Amino acid sequence: MKAIIAEKPSVAREIAQLLGAHEKKEGYLSGNGYCVTWALGHLIALGMPEDYGIRGFNKASLPIFPNPFILTPKKLKTAKGYEPDPSALKQLNTIKQVINQCNSIIVATDAGREGELIFRYIYHYIQCNKPFERLWISSLTERAIQDGFKNLQPGEAFDGLYQAAKARSEADWLVGINATQALTIAGNQDVYSLGRVQTPTLALICQRFLQNQNFTKQKYFQIQLSHRKEYTDFTSLSLLQWEEKKQAEQIQKSIEREGRAVVEDVSIKTVQEQSPLLFDLTELQKEGNRKFGLSADEVLQIAQSLYEKKFITYPRTGSKYIPDDLWTEIPELVRILNTSDQFKMAVSTLKFGNFNKRIVNDVKVTDHHGLLITAKVPSAISTTEKAIYEMIAYRLLESLSHVCIKQVSHIMIKVHHYEFQIKGSTILEKGWRAIKGILSDNENSNNKNEVLTELPEFKIGDELKISKTELLEKVTQPPKLFIEADLLSAMETAGRSIENKEEQKALFNIGIGTPATRASIIETLLSRNYIIRKSKTLHPTNKGLQVYNLVKGKKIANVQMTAEWEIALDRIEKGELNKDQFMNDIQTYTTEITSELLSLHIHQENILQLKCPKCQQHNLIIKEKIIKCSEEKCSFILFRVVCGVQLTNDHIKSLVTKQKTPLIENMRSKDGKKFNASIYLKGDFTTAFEFK
């Protein structure tokens, strides 16, 4: 018997169906010599400080360097602390039983860094030493799975991937746990959360927000001239910008009196616009955010759903290319699209046998190739799934098309000694732009088929009559607040902002996080109330700005450091760097940031000194979300946010000293209705509402 471990039940069912393992058991499927079971994501995690006997936040305990790291079953946060997840324990027990009754293992978790870690942590936790092979596939189609089983690879071939995944996991633990505890101690137990990746990302958002808020808008003026030549109307715009309106008006009058301009320079160039490459995950998330307002996490979940339904290939990819051996399958994908009315017009612009092979590059294919549709035609999918599928399909067709050829004109004219510029562009060959019929870069323009300005012929010395002059009043614009698409770009290209040219070159394509993790980083910042969404833009909260102001300039917020780690992890995966050497560097880094954060002086305002109403001995700890007794043995605890309203210091003081708050307005019930009430403390030290 062979045990197969997938990452999710849905994937396990697909594999079991194909292998003939039809007999349903508790937590697995069996039959035809196979037992197919599954993890539920990360069933095993690194232990928390309390697992090493370190309770509470204690300055003397920092920095914490576990040696070795303890593996524990997944835990859930409860009022009493972290406790093992019952469903995780149950499935772990099932996996252990399955492995015990089998001779060998086939690893079928997602083919990537985290998928490898999910299996290896389970393997080591249950102290298994049985041999295992790796199923490495990029789609869940029947053919892909069959080909994968024909080409199973030895488990040790992925030891480098595991070492990189383990290093990432342990490094994040060291930095996250120590930095969080250090800043919380410095903040007199007001809980903060810091991390290797989330803190530099928060810094990016806060920096942009502050640049936007502190920007001083300035007016300026430009002069626009209207002309007509060979029955064509067009305009020219002054190169100079004037700050003083009076000065601009005087020049405008002078130009009106002159009434004509002379062509000084004519530049006409033929420009080739390369077809876009396939989507990688980050590019898909950016496009989904710009076009549909979907969050990065929503795009990832939709793509994952399409993958599990076998309509697209593996979404967590960082590559925009395909290997040479996959090229032969591309014409069949195009033929499949041609059977749909949606894509027929687009496919008709392609020439079979003359596809653009720009997307074929073995060297630039990472763990997985660029996103493709599969041979399975979608059915019964949601509106958002359809939108994302169509994006991927159209991008494939665009990538197979040839260049768009434009004729771009720059004409320089003069009136007196003032220079004006005329710009024009003509499409000579639509190329890839014919796929969706969008001939400009602005997909949101009212006229999707607009052709950029066509100009008449010019030669140096030509005189142009000025039919009209117009003074344009303009305002300098602040840096735009991040939408998720722009933030993903900033995270992806974090290395490019580094001033040292050599380092910049090394980090050019290395950013914060990976395509697979960037969405979860943004969601983490949202869940911790460090940032909020307002319309499409991301704003830091007061708490987020407070954390940023505390850590800006510190190593924990250094974008460059995070980008360098990604390079190191990549080198570990390739066997070019020893994991222990990397972890030694991380320990040094952790010691430095812990010391930096512990030395911070955080000004505390309006700290309430209140005795616990239950034990009457110890002070209360008042945090953002909870109020509890500082003595662990006393079980007094209250939630500070009640029906959507956070209790103020006055509310808390009144509740603890007078057993009742003043009237609190605009609380919201479960069904969304607003109500006003006081909160009072009952005899058993729980709370209840008192209505007016």
Side-chain angles (χ1 to χ4, degrees):
M1 288 281 277
K2 287 193 173 185
I4 298 175
I5 302 178
E7 193 163 317
K8 291 181 178 178
S10 58
V11 178
R13 285 193 291 270
E14 292 290 346
I15 292 171
Q17 176 73 23
L18 194 64
L19 296 177
H22 301 304
E23 193 178 344
K24 290 183 180 179
K25 304 275 189 175
E26 186 70 36
Y28 70 100
L29 298 139
S30 70
N32 202 25
Y34 294 99
C35 285
V36 186
T37 187
W38 53 84
L40 299 167
H42 285 274
L43 286 179
I44 300 295
L46 297 177
M48 298 299 282
E50 51 265 33
D51 294 309
Y52 302 93
I54 301 168
R55 295 198 169 275
F57 287 17
N58 185 348
K59 188 174 181 179
S61 301
L62 298 182
I64 305 166
F65 293 133
N67 186 21
F69 276 92
I70 294 171
L71 294 176
T72 65
K74 179 184 172 185
K75 294 181 178 180
L76 297 174
K77 193 172 185 179
T78 66
K80 297 179 181 178
Y82 286 93
E83 295 185 354
D85 179 352
S87 62
L89 291 174
K90 184 180 178 183
Q91 191 59 22
L92 271 172
N93 192 43
T94 298
I95 292 171
K96 192 170 183 178
Q97 286 176 14
V98 166
I99 287 176
N100 284 342
Q101 60 183 296
C102 295
N103 303 319
S104 64
I105 305 164
I106 295 172
V107 184
T109 50
D110 282 358
R113 193 191 284 173
E114 290 310 297
E116 192 68 23
L117 191 68
I118 285 169
F119 165 71
R120 298 282 188 128
Y121 272 181
I122 292 170
Y123 184 80
H124 291 300
Y125 178 76
I126 64 175
Q127 298 179 333
C128 182
N129 56 12
K130 291 184 178 179
F132 61 89
E133 296 174 289
R134 191 60 159 103
L135 175 71
W136 194 266
I137 54 176
S138 286
S139 85
L140 288 173
T141 61
E142 191 171 311
R143 179 178 169 182
I145 295 171
Q146 285 173 339
D147 288 346
F149 272 98
K150 287 175 190 171
N151 296 288
L152 291 173
Q153 300 180 55
E156 60 266 23
F158 297 90
D159 284 350
L161 182 66
Y162 166 57
Q163 290 301 322
K166 190 167 184 275
R168 194 279 310 153
S169 175
E170 293 176 0
D172 280 349
W173 192 101
L174 291 178
V175 173
I177 294 292
N178 285 294
T180 294
Q181 292 210 6
L183 191 58
T184 299
I185 290 166
N188 294 313
Q189 302 301 315
D190 191 4
V191 176
Y192 298 91
S193 171
L194 300 180
R196 169 183 76 91
V197 183
Q198 63 159 313
T199 306
T201 305
L202 175 64
L204 285 174
I205 296 167
C206 291
Q207 286 162 5
R208 177 63 63 86
F209 177 79
L210 293 171
Q211 287 167 1
N212 177 279
Q213 296 297 298
N214 298 330
F215 185 85
T216 304
K217 290 185 177 183
Q218 292 183 322
K219 280 185 182 179
Y220 67 95
F221 299 88
Q222 281 182 288
I223 299 170
Q224 181 176 280
L225 310 179
S226 296
H227 314 275
R228 184 175 177 82
K229 185 177 191 285
E230 296 171 10
Y231 306 105
T232 304
D233 293 314
F234 53 93
T235 59
S236 60
L237 187 66
S238 63
L239 291 185
L240 282 177
Q241 300 172 359
W242 295 275
E243 291 179 10
E244 296 292 330
K245 187 175 183 179
K246 278 189 177 179
Q247 184 187 7
E249 286 174 335
Q250 287 171 355
I251 293 164
Q252 182 187 11
K253 286 175 184 175
S254 165
I255 288 168
E256 282 176 349
R257 286 193 296 270
E258 179 65 21
R260 65 189 181 85
V262 178
V263 176
E264 287 280 309
D265 186 54
V266 177
S267 171
I268 299 173
K269 292 180 180 176
T270 301
V271 176
Q272 293 190 347
E273 273 188 342
Q274 286 288 355
S275 57
L277 296 165
L278 298 173
F279 282 121
D280 64 2
L281 176 60
T282 303
E283 198 63 34
L284 185 75
Q285 289 169 319
K286 290 193 287 187
E287 192 81 356
N289 181 247
R290 289 193 188 106
K291 286 187 73 172
F292 306 115
L294 296 167
S295 72
D297 189 57
E298 285 171 331
V299 174
L300 175 56
Q301 298 311 320
I302 292 164
Q304 184 70 22
S305 173
L306 288 169
Y307 167 67
E308 289 175 17
K309 291 173 181 176
K310 309 185 200 175
F311 299 137
I312 67 168
T313 57
Y314 187 67
R316 288 177 168 85
T317 176
S319 177
K320 298 177 181 180
Y321 297 87
I322 62 170
D324 190 56
D325 60 8
L326 197 58
W327 178 249
T328 55
E329 297 179 24
I330 298 299
E332 181 58 25
L333 298 180
V334 177
R335 286 189 191 95
I336 286 162
L337 289 177
N338 198 34
T339 62
S340 164
D341 292 339
Q342 170 83 30
F343 301 105
K344 264 187 177 167
M345 183 66 74
V347 173
S348 70
T349 67
L350 290 171
K351 291 179 183 176
F352 278 84
N354 189 28
F355 291 166
N356 186 349
K357 286 189 74 172
R358 185 168 173 246
I359 57 171
V360 178
N361 191 323
D362 286 313
V363 176
K364 292 189 177 180
V365 174
T366 51
D367 290 344
H368 297 279
H369 55 69
L371 265 166
L372 292 170
I373 61 163
T374 66
K376 187 176 180 184
V377 178
S379 58
I381 57 176
S382 68
T383 305
T384 50
E385 285 177 332
K386 184 173 184 288
I388 296 299
Y389 177 85
E390 287 176 1
M391 273 172 47
I392 296 166
Y394 275 122
R395 179 55 68 91
L396 168 62
L397 297 177
E398 285 177 336
S399 73
L400 300 174
S401 304
H402 289 275
V403 294
C404 169
I405 302 175
K406 292 179 179 179
Q407 184 175 281
V408 179
S409 306
H410 286 91
I411 316 298
M412 198 70 71
I413 64 173
K414 255 189 184 179
V415 186
H416 300 312
H417 60 279
Y418 301 107
E419 291 184 319
F420 289 75
Q421 187 171 245
I422 303 164
K423 289 182 179 180
S425 179
T426 306
I427 302 278
L428 301 178
E429 290 181 31
K430 293 179 182 178
W432 64 270
R433 286 193 176 275
I435 293 295
K436 289 192 281 187
I438 298 167
L439 303 183
S440 78
D441 286 327
N442 183 12
E443 282 199 39
N444 298 317
S445 65
N446 293 327
N447 180 8
K448 297 274 181 171
N449 293 310
E450 72 173 342
V451 177
L452 301 171
T453 313
E454 290 194 44
L455 296 172
E457 270 191 43
F458 294 96
K459 59 181 187 291
I460 294 171
D462 280 353
E463 285 194 359
L464 294 178
K465 188 180 177 184
I466 300 168
S467 57
K468 182 184 172 186
T469 69
E470 192 176 352
L471 189 63
L472 305 179
E473 183 178 304
K474 298 184 177 182
V475 180
T476 54
Q477 295 301 312
K480 288 183 179 177
L481 293 173
F482 279 125
I483 61 172
E484 283 196 42
D486 298 333
L487 179 60
L488 287 167
S489 290
M491 293 169 77
E492 188 178 29
T493 59
R496 299 184 196 183
S497 62
I498 295 162
E499 290 181 9
N500 182 303
K501 293 298 177 187
E502 284 302 309
E503 289 180 357
Q504 186 193 70
K505 189 176 177 182
L507 295 171
F508 188 76
N509 288 316
I510 299 290
I512 300 174
T514 65
T517 61
R518 288 179 188 128
S520 64
I521 295 162
I522 297 170
E523 293 303 315
T524 296
L525 292 173
L526 285 160
S527 68
R528 288 182 173 153
N529 196 33
Y530 284 169
I531 64 173
I532 55 171
R533 289 189 183 99
K534 286 189 179 179
S535 187
K536 281 188 175 183
T537 55
L538 297 170
H539 295 238
T541 60
N542 289 335
K543 184 179 180 182
L545 285 169
Q546 182 190 24
V547 171
Y548 169 69
N549 285 321
L550 288 169
V551 301
K552 67 181 178 183
K554 306 287 186 237
K555 284 185 165 65
I556 186 69
N558 189 328
V559 169
Q560 178 180 339
M561 183 74 70
T562 307
E564 286 173 352
W565 282 21
E566 295 299 340
I567 287 180
L569 293 171
D570 187 56
R571 290 183 63 210
I572 291 170
E573 184 178 332
K574 292 173 181 173
E576 297 169 0
L577 178 67
N578 184 279
K579 172 186 173 282
D580 293 339
Q581 183 184 333
F582 172 75
M583 291 308 298
N584 286 337
D585 292 341
I586 295 301
Q587 287 201 9
T588 303
Y589 171 80
T590 302
T591 302
E592 290 171 357
I593 60 170
T594 303
S595 177
E596 274 186 347
L597 295 171
L598 284 171
S599 67
L600 287 174
H601 175 70
I602 302 173
H603 180 62
Q604 299 288 315
E605 294 180 359
N606 303 323
I607 297 175
L608 289 176
Q609 296 291 331
L610 294 171
K611 282 273 188 274
C612 171
K614 185 175 182 182
C615 69
Q616 295 290 329
Q617 294 179 24
H618 302 280
N619 284 343
L620 289 175
I621 295 172
I622 300 168
K623 299 184 180 181
E624 186 183 16
K625 293 182 179 178
I626 61 167
I627 305 155
K628 67 175 185 176
C629 183
S630 57
E631 172 54 52
E632 283 189 31
K633 291 177 183 177
C634 176
S635 59
F636 180 75
I637 186 167
L638 297 174
F639 288 107
R640 188 172 176 181
V641 179
V642 181
C643 294
V645 174
Q646 186 182 51
L647 301 184
T648 65
N649 284 354
D650 288 341
H651 292 149
I652 297 166
K653 186 175 180 181
S654 181
L655 182 63
V656 171
T657 58
K658 301 175 183 176
Q659 281 71 54
K660 180 180 169 183
T661 69
L663 188 72
I664 301 171
E665 297 183 339
N666 295 322
M667 287 191 282
R668 203 175 282 272
S669 64
K670 287 182 181 179
D671 60 5
K673 292 180 181 176
K674 289 185 178 180
F675 68 94
N676 305 331
S678 297
I679 298 171
Y680 69 92
L681 205 58
K682 296 196 293 186
D684 61 356
F685 300 102
T686 59
T687 57
F689 293 117
E690 180 178 291
F691 296 95
K692 192 174 178 181

